[in-house]
């Protein structure tokens, strides 16, 4: 029976045959399988690829675990989101992380002074987010683990120096990311017809060294010269200009909300929020507090913008909003 495979399958198969890295071959096998139409004519092929995939994953299991353990880019997500700062040399990535977190990356006017990633925790009102400094992006020297980190993070900050050809810096940074199949989420439509799968990540461009009002005009020229559609914000790490606005933009882009627990007869601790994805309901909040509440909750009361009136009794399916206070009863 004919398999009637699409042209994309054969393109990926060619890449698979040319690939030498086991991890890449595994990824390409998975992409090949996703392209195969499901009918009786492809049963044998799909079974054959599943066997190959299982065998390759088994042989790579131990090596992959050891590699992940040893990688300097292997960071567990902490706080309300994981944000990675990337860009050309000397744009101010390390200075941003040093000024806004408890981390101590090396800050130097010399290019390529950052050789290892450095994570720190940044406060945004009453929550913490993880901010990670990284070595400069370089198309000639690709660190696979850096791009693995970028594929898993929640937000990418692409930093440029407003006074050092920011258009070229931004273009080269975005080209390096797309070379590794990482694309801005708001441009996803441009890559829908690509043969290989892309990872779409929320991106924000930081135009650093916008130190005073006179630099705002430089920023406007940069924004007009950049013909692409990309969210941008002018900042100055040196003077602190727009850094609070940056934090609020990060909070919005993470698409999370803060809700608070209140025990019966007590006052909610507004300095200790629970962070949930926007659109979460009471049941999701209860599970965040403790699985026993999710399993055994009898009722819930809500104070805040999602409630029709203060202390409204609501169901498990009630959708919460930022700032709500919830009392759970078992």
């Amino acid at each position: 029976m004919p398999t009637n495979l699409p042209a994309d399958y054969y393109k990926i198969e060619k890449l698979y045959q040319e690939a030498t890295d086991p991890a890449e071959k595994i990824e390409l096998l998975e992409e090949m399988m996703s392209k195969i139409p499901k009918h009786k004519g492809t049963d044998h092929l799909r079974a054959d690829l599943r066997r190959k995939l299982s065998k390759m994953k088994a042989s790579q299991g131990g090596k992959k675990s050891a590699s992940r353990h040893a990688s300097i880019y292997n960071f567990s997500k902490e706080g309300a989101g994981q944000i990675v700062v990337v860009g050309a040399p000397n744009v101010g990535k390390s200075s941003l992380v040093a000024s806004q977190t408890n981390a101590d990356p090396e800050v130097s006017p010399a290019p390529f002074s950052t050789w290892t990633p450095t994570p720190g925790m940044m406060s945004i009102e009453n929550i913490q987010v993880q901010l990670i400094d990284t070595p400069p992006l370089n198309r000639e020297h690709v660190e696979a683990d850096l791009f693995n980190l970028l594929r898993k993070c929640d937000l990418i900050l692409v930093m440029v120096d407003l006074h050092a050809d920011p258009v070229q810096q931004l273009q080269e940074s975005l080209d390096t990311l797309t070379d590794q199949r990482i694309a801005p989420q708001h441009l996803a439509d441009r890559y829908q017809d690509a043969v290989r799968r892309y990872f779409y990540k929320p991106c924000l461009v930081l135009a650093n060294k916008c130190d005073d009002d006179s630099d705002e005009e430089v920023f406007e020229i940069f924004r007009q010269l950049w013909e692409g559609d990309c969210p941008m914000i002018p900042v100055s790490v040196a003077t602190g200009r727009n850094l609070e606005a940056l934090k609020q933009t990060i909070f919005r882009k993470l698409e999370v909300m803060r809700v608070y627990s209140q025990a019966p007869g007590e006052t909610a601790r507004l300095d200790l929020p629970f962070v949930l994805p926007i659109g979460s309901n009471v049941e999701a909040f209860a599970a965040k507090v403790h699985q026993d509440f999710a399993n055994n909750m009898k009722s819930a009361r809500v104070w805040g913008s999602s409630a029709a009136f203060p202390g409204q009794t609501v169901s498990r399916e009630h959708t919460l909003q930022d700032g709500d206070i919830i009392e759970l009863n078992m």
Side-chain angles (χ1 to χ4, degrees), residues 133-259:
D133 181 27
T134 61
L137 290 178
N138 188 335
R139 296 181 83 176
E140 305 302 319
H141 177 67
V142 175
E143 294 190 70
D145 287 343
L146 166 60
F147 295 103
N148 287 336
L149 171 65
L150 291 169
R151 293 183 188 111
K152 294 183 293 183
C153 74
D154 299 305
L155 174 64
I156 298 174
L157 301 183
V158 184
M159 185 174 272
V160 299
D161 182 339
L162 191 59
H163 299 284
D165 198 347
V167 173
Q168 181 180 345
Q169 286 184 353
L170 179 53
Q171 187 63 63
E172 290 180 353
S173 292
L174 293 179
D175 286 347
T176 303
L177 293 175
T178 53
D179 283 349
Q180 301 299 317
R181 297 180 295 113
I182 301 168
Q185 190 175 62
H186 68 283
L187 300 179
D189 290 347
R190 298 186 184 181
Y191 302 91
Q192 293 300 323
D193 296 330
V195 173
R196 298 203 62 191
R197 178 168 57 100
Y198 272 75
F199 295 83
Y200 304 111
K201 308 302 298 184
C203 291
L204 176 64
V205 177
L206 304 187
N208 190 27
K209 305 184 184 179
C210 185
D211 297 338
D212 52 42
D213 289 343
S214 63
D215 291 324
E216 291 286 349
E217 184 177 352
V218 182
F219 172 71
E220 288 303 321
I221 293 171
F222 162 52
R223 186 156 59 177
Q224 290 172 22
L225 288 174
W226 178 255
E227 297 179 354
D229 177 20
C230 211
M232 297 180 177
I233 183 169
V235 300
S236 172
V237 176
T239 67
R241 188 181 182 88
N242 283 342
L243 292 185
E244 285 303 316
L246 167 62
K247 290 182 179 184
Q248 294 304 315
T249 303
I250 287 173
F251 180 78
R252 291 193 297 271
K253 283 192 166 294
L254 289 175
E255 297 185 342
V256 294
M257 62 181 181
R258 297 155 297 185
V259 293

Side-chain angles (χ1 to χ4, degrees), residues 2 17 26 34 36-37 40 44 78 138 148 160-161 166 206 233 240 249 271 290 321:
Q17 292 167 349
I26 288 173
S34 72
I36 300 175
K40 288 187 177 180
H44 179 74
E78 296 183 28
N138 188 335
N148 287 336
V160 299
D161 182 339
L206 304 187
I233 183 169
T249 303
D271 59 330
H290 196 283
Q321 294 185 23

Side-chain angles (χ1 to χ4, degrees), residues 103-114:
D104 188 26
E106 182 177 353
V107 178
S108 169
F112 297 99
S113 59
T114 299

Side-chain angles (χ1 to χ4, degrees), residues 31-50:
E31 291 186 32
M32 287 163 62
M33 291 180 65
S34 72
K35 300 292 184 182
I36 300 175
K38 293 184 179 180
H39 54 71
K40 288 187 177 180
T42 62
D43 284 350
H44 179 74
L45 176 60
R46 283 188 282 117
D48 183 49
L49 292 183
R50 278 197 298 269

Side-chain angles (χ1 to χ4, degrees), residues 44-95:
H44 179 74
L45 176 60
R46 283 188 282 117
D48 183 49
L49 292 183
R50 278 197 298 269
R51 282 192 295 270
K52 282 185 181 179
L53 184 60
S54 178
K55 191 173 180 180
M56 289 192 71
K57 284 185 174 180
S59 65
Q60 285 297 305
K63 296 179 183 177
K64 190 173 183 181
S65 297
S67 172
R68 282 184 176 175
H69 184 266
S71 173
I72 59 174
Y73 291 94
N74 185 22
F75 298 112
S76 298
K77 288 188 178 183
E78 296 183 28
Q82 185 181 70
I83 300 139
V84 183
V85 191
V86 300
N90 281 93
V91 295
K93 302 187 304 297
S94 298
S95 296

